[in-house]
Amino acid sequence: TTYEACKEFCEANSLEFTYFKPAGDSDAERVAMVDKAVDEGYNVIVIPGYAFAGTVVTAENEYPDTTFIALDVAAGDLLGAALGDAYDYDPSHWDVSKIISKNVYCAVYQEELCGYMAGYAAVKLGYKQLGFLGGMAVPAVVRYGYGFVQGADAAAVELSLTDVSIKYAYGNQFNGDADITAAMDTWYGAGTEIVFACGGSMFQSVAAAASAEDGKVVGVDVDQSSESDTVVTSAMKGLSDAAEWAIAKVYDGTWDEIGNNATALGVKENAVGLPTATWSMENFTVADYEDLFQQVLNGDLTIDNNSEMANPAEGGLTNVNVNYIGG
């Protein structure tokens, strides 16, 4: 989605665009692609994902005339990459502005908000046997999952339900395979009705199992309804809008408003939510969703964004039972 947004923006504004793909999964290989991009004259580099934190820390000072837009890269990710063993895992203890240079903008998303909406909607729809399969217990995935559980619990409270349960696991990977499909076959076969597939291309394995067992799926990051008819809704974050908005700042003269900064994008920026355009939910209407969205926007709902709550069974739930399987 980030790639598509960058490509569309550049085509619309007559800018040259190229996709540079690291040869492997290491800081050195990612930095090598930054080197190559700069050598070829590219001066705005958009990089998505927490794994690029070390790349930003290395490249931001080496290339002060290059603008870096780091999406899904948190201040804590940069601090961890910069400080190594000295990092105490609490970004509030550090001056983030000294880690992020003026040519860098970092943004993460408040995944717990759209995760909450998806979990709330699932229970409102009548599902009582839910599942959450995350890729790895990294902050974004944890926020998605913890939000999902909080939303399910809130809906269960409203409906006076005490028999809602959630299987909760991490696959320790962000790709699907036969093992993931087999595990999901077991979940659906044992009665799980709907699974929040929160692990990149693990989605394909979850959707395959759901299709075989007449189950349902909640998609992640983008609207995944076009990928499988098992998708009921998706917990989305505005990857495309954020990329285009940040790139535009470079060219409209307002980069100083966001450079040297790290932010968390949420409902105020319309950066997280559920897709109403492809709505397939009968007992939870668009009007119901818009009311829920407004409650979040107004601050009438408090949703915990604890990115260390890898096991939501420890989160003080009242009406939902979480069967934490781990990873």
Side-chain angles (χ1 to χ4, degrees):
T1 302
T2 304
Y3 160 82
E4 291 172 351
C6 294
K7 184 173 183 292
E8 290 173 4
F9 182 92
C10 291
E11 289 176 348
N13 292 276
S14 300
L15 299 170
E16 187 172 347
F17 171 75
T18 298
Y19 172 39
F20 293 89
K21 182 178 181 179
D25 185 20
S26 72
D27 282 346
E29 288 163 311
R30 285 184 277 269
V31 170
M33 282 298 99
V34 172
D35 295 338
K36 179 176 174 59
V38 174
D39 286 345
E40 293 185 13
Y42 292 90
N43 58 0
V44 179
I45 300 178
V46 182
I47 48 182
Y50 72 95
F52 283 93
T55 308
V56 175
V57 170
T58 300
E60 62 180 341
N61 294 316
E62 185 174 352
Y63 299 114
D65 295 326
T66 300
T67 299
F68 295 94
I69 298 170
L71 302 176
D72 260 344
V73 180
D77 297 327
L78 297 183
L79 288 166
L83 301 172
D85 293 340
Y87 181 36
D88 68 1
Y89 301 100
D90 186 350
S92 67
H93 294 172
W94 303 91
D95 184 350
V96 176
S97 66
K98 293 182 179 179
I99 301 295
I100 303 175
S101 299
K102 64 181 181 179
N103 57 326
V104 175
Y105 170 67
C106 293
V108 293
Y109 300 84
Q110 293 174 297
E111 292 93 352
E112 70 280 359
L113 303 184
C114 52
Y116 180 102
M117 296 173 191
Y120 182 91
V123 173
K124 283 286 190 174
L125 285 169
Y127 296 111
K128 294 184 179 181
Q129 304 297 314
L130 286 64
F132 172 83
L133 179 65
M136 299 180 185
V138 296
V141 174
V142 171
R143 289 193 296 269
Y144 264 133
Y146 189 30
F148 183 73
V149 170
Q150 291 177 76
D153 192 54
V157 170
E158 288 185 18
L159 297 172
S160 300
L161 300 175
T162 57
D163 56 347
V164 176
S165 64
I166 303 176
K167 287 188 175 73
Y168 203 97
Y170 299 97
N172 293 324
Q173 61 192 61
F174 284 109
N175 59 283
D177 57 24
D179 290 339
I180 296 295
T181 302
M184 293 299 98
D185 282 337
T186 300
W187 280 23
Y188 284 115
T192 298
E193 300 166 291
I194 186 167
V195 175
F196 185 9
C198 191
S201 62
M202 289 172 70
F203 169 86
Q204 280 73 28
S205 289
V206 178
S211 182
E213 297 288 345
D214 196 28
K216 297 298 181 182
V217 179
V218 173
V220 74
D221 286 347
V222 296
D223 182 1
Q224 294 191 287
S225 60
S226 63
E227 299 181 45
S228 171
D229 58 10
T230 64
V231 174
V232 173
T233 189
S234 300
M236 302 193 314
K237 51 189 180 184
L239 299 168
S240 178
D241 289 345
E244 294 188 11
W245 171 79
I247 297 170
K249 290 285 187 182
V250 179
Y251 296 98
D252 67 9
T254 60
W255 174 258
D256 287 346
E257 295 178 2
I258 65 172
N260 187 219
N261 197 15
T263 59
L265 305 175
V267 291
K268 291 181 179 179
E269 297 81 15
N270 201 30
V272 293
L274 305 182
T276 57
T278 56
W279 209 258
S280 63
M281 298 188 284
E282 297 178 358
N283 299 327
F284 184 68
T285 67
V286 172
D288 293 333
Y289 164 70
E290 291 176 344
D291 179 64
L292 179 64
F293 189 96
Q294 195 63 41
Q295 290 180 56
V296 177
L297 181 62
N298 294 341
D300 296 331
L301 280 176
T302 300
I303 302 169
D304 193 346
N305 66 349
N306 186 347
S307 60
E308 296 183 5
M309 189 61 72
N311 176 7
E314 301 172 350
L317 306 169
T318 60
N319 285 46
V320 167
N321 177 58
V322 174
N323 176 16
Y324 179 68
I325 300 168

